[in-house]
């Protein structure tokens, strides 16, 4: 015969009930904690604060972009400025998060007391879980503001700049046929100032980055002179230019100061250039009798480019030249005779960088037919 102890059975049942209640409490508390910690509001508010401050470092930490993204601050600044242009805020209200199109959405209602206007600022967030973690992490969705798999190719030996910042050489994926190819797996949309530069020359242009797999190929570049070399080129060219017309005034004699600006191998062409202008101003009839009293240069336009292949700066000037010639007075005659003329002139000079002395290696002067009048 089996004896059942009522007291022990009741105690055991009571223990089971208490354990069940405790387990339910733990599960409920855990669920409440997960629900609280799963709320994306905190990340949304943090993003809104750095957004309003235009704190680009803080923004980069919170936006959802691939780890190898190229995030240019000027491009990011343009995106943020565009989003802020109609947002005038002196207070805001954070709405409860909702789901929209499969994404978490936190709406921040911005208001302005002065105007009485209100505007909703929407922040979409993507959620991620790492491993077995019950708590998700959130990033601000930025998929509308970047594109993927873009390429930029520049001449080999050059360095690529975007918006004034050198692009790391680690982003070069291929070098062939004299070109160097950079690949951007992810890059922000927008306008970029693109620059291909080397020691002496620089080429710049604006491009719009707005589509996946876009390609920009910079070939047959016309380089400008880098600022530090441009000053040296201008100094050499302007010095030569002044001495050129000083030599013309002397009808080709006294060329020492003028020829000092040229490499030895170019001095023959330098003399020939002066003779062309002397012949323009003084024909055989007037050469001995008249002297050059005045030269006026107007509408001067000068361009300086760098020829990478020839390693030289090419300087081209176009201008209008007006001149006056007179005869000398004598003891017999107290009056003078005179005539004047004008010509459109193109002067081209090449300055070598090989010896770093900025000597002129070539010069060509073309004068259009002179118009003379007495």
């Amino acid at each position: 015969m089996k004896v059942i102890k009522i007291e022990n059975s009741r105690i055991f049942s009571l223990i089971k009930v208490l354990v069940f209640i405790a387990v339910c409490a733990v599960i409920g508390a855990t669920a409440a904690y997960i629900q609280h910690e799963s709320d994306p509001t905190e990340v949304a508010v943090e993003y809104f604060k750095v957004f309003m401050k235009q704190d680009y470092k803080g923004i980069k930490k919170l936006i959802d972009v691939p780890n190898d993204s190229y995030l240019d601050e000027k491009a990011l600044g343009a995106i943020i400025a565009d989003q802020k242009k109609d947002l005038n805020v002196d207070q805001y209200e954070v709405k409860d998060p909702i789901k929209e199109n499969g994404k978490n959405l936190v709406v921040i209602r911005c208001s302005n007391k002065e105007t009485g206007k209100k505007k909703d600022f929407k922040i979409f967030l993507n959620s991620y879980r790492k491993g077995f973690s019950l708590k998700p992490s959130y990033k601000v969705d930025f998929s509308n503001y970047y594109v993927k798999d873009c390429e930029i190719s520049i001449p080999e030996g050059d360095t690529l700049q975007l918006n004034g910042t050198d692009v790391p050489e680690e982003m070069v994926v291929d070098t062939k046929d004299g070109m160097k190819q950079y690949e951007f797996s992810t890059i922000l949309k927008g306008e970029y100032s693109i620059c291909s530069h080397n020691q002496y020359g620089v080429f710049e242009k604006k491009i719009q980055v707005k589509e996946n797999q876009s390609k920009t190929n910079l070939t047959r570049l016309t380089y400008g002179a880098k600022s530090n070399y441009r000053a040296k080129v201008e100094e050499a060219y302007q010095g030569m230019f002044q001495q050129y017309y000083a030599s013309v005034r002397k009808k080709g004699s006294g060329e020492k100061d003028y020829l000092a600006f040229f490499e030895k191998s170019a001095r023959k062409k330098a003399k020939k250039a002066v003779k062309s202008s002397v012949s323009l101003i003084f024909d055989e009839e007037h050469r001995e009798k008249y002297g050059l009293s005045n030269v006026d240069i107007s509408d001067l336009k000068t361009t300086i480019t760098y020829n990478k292949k020839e390693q030289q700066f090419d300087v081209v000037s176009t201008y209008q030249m007006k001149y006056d010639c007179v005869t000398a007075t004598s003891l017999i005659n107290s009056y003078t005779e005179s005539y004047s003329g004008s010509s459109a002139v193109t002067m081209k000079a090449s300055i070598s960088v090989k010896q770093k002395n900025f000597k002129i290696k070539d010069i060509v002067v073309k004068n259009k037919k002179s118009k003379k009048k007495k």
Side-chain angles (χ1 to χ4, degrees):
M1 180 176 181
K2 187 176 180 181
V3 179
I4 300 175
K5 295 184 178 181
I6 297 175
E7 294 82 358
N8 290 340
S9 176
R10 288 175 178 174
I11 291 171
F12 182 71
S13 297
L14 179 61
I15 290 172
K16 287 196 293 182
V17 170
L18 292 174
V19 169
F20 176 75
I21 293 172
V23 170
C24 289
V26 169
I27 293 173
T30 302
Y33 170 78
I34 292 172
Q35 184 176 3
H36 172 74
E37 293 298 318
S38 299
D39 190 339
T41 303
E42 184 178 341
V43 175
V45 171
E46 184 181 356
Y47 175 77
F48 183 71
K49 289 178 179 178
V50 294
F51 169 85
M52 292 303 297
K53 293 177 183 178
Q54 292 183 262
D55 174 5
Y56 301 130
K57 187 176 181 181
I59 290 171
K60 287 179 181 180
K61 289 180 180 179
L62 296 174
I63 59 177
D64 189 12
V65 293
N67 292 332
D68 57 353
S69 299
Y70 186 83
L71 302 178
D72 178 78
E73 284 201 1
K74 286 187 178 179
L76 180 59
I79 292 170
I80 300 304
D82 184 64
Q83 292 178 337
K84 282 187 67 177
K85 64 183 179 182
D86 296 324
L87 208 59
N88 192 0
V89 185
D90 53 26
Q91 64 181 25
Y92 62 89
E93 175 190 358
V94 182
K95 299 293 186 179
D96 291 333
I98 59 174
K99 287 278 188 178
E100 187 174 301
N101 298 324
K103 295 180 179 180
N104 299 282
L105 170 63
V106 175
V107 175
I108 297 182
R109 181 153 295 170
C110 304
S111 58
N112 184 277
K113 290 181 180 178
E114 185 177 340
T115 62
K117 291 183 178 180
K118 294 183 179 182
K119 185 173 182 179
D120 287 346
F121 183 73
K122 295 183 176 182
I123 302 174
F124 288 91
L125 302 102
N126 301 321
S127 61
Y128 298 92
R129 295 185 188 274
K130 296 181 180 179
F132 295 101
S133 174
L134 297 176
K135 176 185 173 183
S137 59
Y138 291 94
K139 290 276 190 178
V140 176
D141 182 72
F142 224 65
S143 57
N144 288 333
Y145 301 105
Y146 65 76
V147 292
K148 293 184 175 183
D149 302 326
C150 297
E151 295 178 4
I152 299 177
S153 297
I154 63 173
E156 188 176 359
D158 281 13
T159 298
L160 176 65
Q161 276 188 354
L162 291 181
N163 289 338
T165 301
D166 284 352
V167 177
E169 289 297 298
E170 297 80 53
M171 299 188 72
V172 176
V173 294
D174 196 11
T175 302
K176 63 180 180 181
D177 300 328
M179 299 299 290
K180 185 163 62 171
Q181 179 182 314
Y182 291 78
E183 187 172 271
F184 300 84
S185 58
T186 308
I187 185 171
L188 295 175
K189 292 180 180 179
E191 182 181 80
Y192 287 82
S193 175
I194 184 172
C195 169
S196 180
H197 69 98
N198 49 60
Q199 182 179 358
Y200 300 105
V202 57
F203 173 84
E204 296 178 288
K205 69 176 293 187
K206 300 283 188 182
I207 63 169
Q208 288 288 341
V209 175
K210 54 186 178 181
E211 294 180 351
N212 293 329
Q213 299 179 335
S214 64
K215 295 183 180 182
T216 303
N217 196 336
L218 303 184
T219 57
R220 299 179 182 176
L221 305 186
T222 300
Y223 295 96
K226 275 195 167 179
S227 57
N228 54 330
Y229 288 103
R230 185 180 183 88
K232 295 178 180 179
V233 171
E234 286 176 343
E235 182 182 3
Y237 181 76
Q238 289 171 5
M240 179 277 296
F241 191 87
Q242 291 174 0
Q243 291 300 322
Y244 178 88
Y245 281 103
S247 187
V248 170
R249 186 184 295 274
K250 297 175 183 177
K251 302 177 185 178
S253 63
E255 295 175 329
K256 182 179 178 181
D257 291 339
Y258 165 62
L259 294 177
F261 288 94
F262 292 84
E263 293 181 353
K264 288 183 178 180
S265 60
R267 289 177 182 175
K268 186 175 180 180
K269 289 196 77 171
K271 291 179 181 180
K272 182 180 178 181
V274 169
K275 287 180 180 178
S276 69
S277 292
V278 171
S279 298
L280 172 83
I281 297 171
F282 306 102
D283 52 31
E284 292 295 333
E285 177 185 351
H286 299 106
R287 188 162 301 178
E288 297 300 325
K289 185 178 178 181
Y290 287 82
L292 183 60
S293 62
N294 181 60
V295 175
D296 178 56
I297 303 296
S298 63
D299 298 329
L300 177 63
K301 296 177 182 178
T302 300
T303 60
I304 301 175
T305 58
Y306 176 64
N307 186 323
K308 186 178 179 181
K309 182 178 179 180
E310 299 296 332
Q311 292 186 280
Q312 66 187 33
F313 292 102
D314 294 322
V315 187
V316 180
S317 291
T318 58
Y319 52 93
Q320 293 292 323
M321 177 187 67
K322 294 181 180 179
Y323 57 88
D324 299 304
C325 297
V326 297
T327 58
T329 58
S330 67
L331 294 174
I332 301 173
N333 297 317
S334 60
Y335 66 90
T336 61
E337 294 179 0
S338 65
Y339 67 88
S340 60
S342 63
S343 176
V345 185
T346 300
M347 178 181 286
K348 299 179 181 179
S350 298
I351 301 175
S352 175
V353 300
K354 292 181 180 179
Q355 298 177 5
K356 304 192 184 296
N357 56 8
F358 292 89
K359 295 287 187 180
I360 298 171
K361 60 182 285 190
D362 191 21
I363 185 169
V364 175
V365 178
K366 292 183 179 180
N367 298 283
K368 286 191 176 180
K369 188 174 181 181
S370 176
K371 297 178 181 179
K372 296 180 181 179
K373 60 180 181 178
K374 289 190 176 182

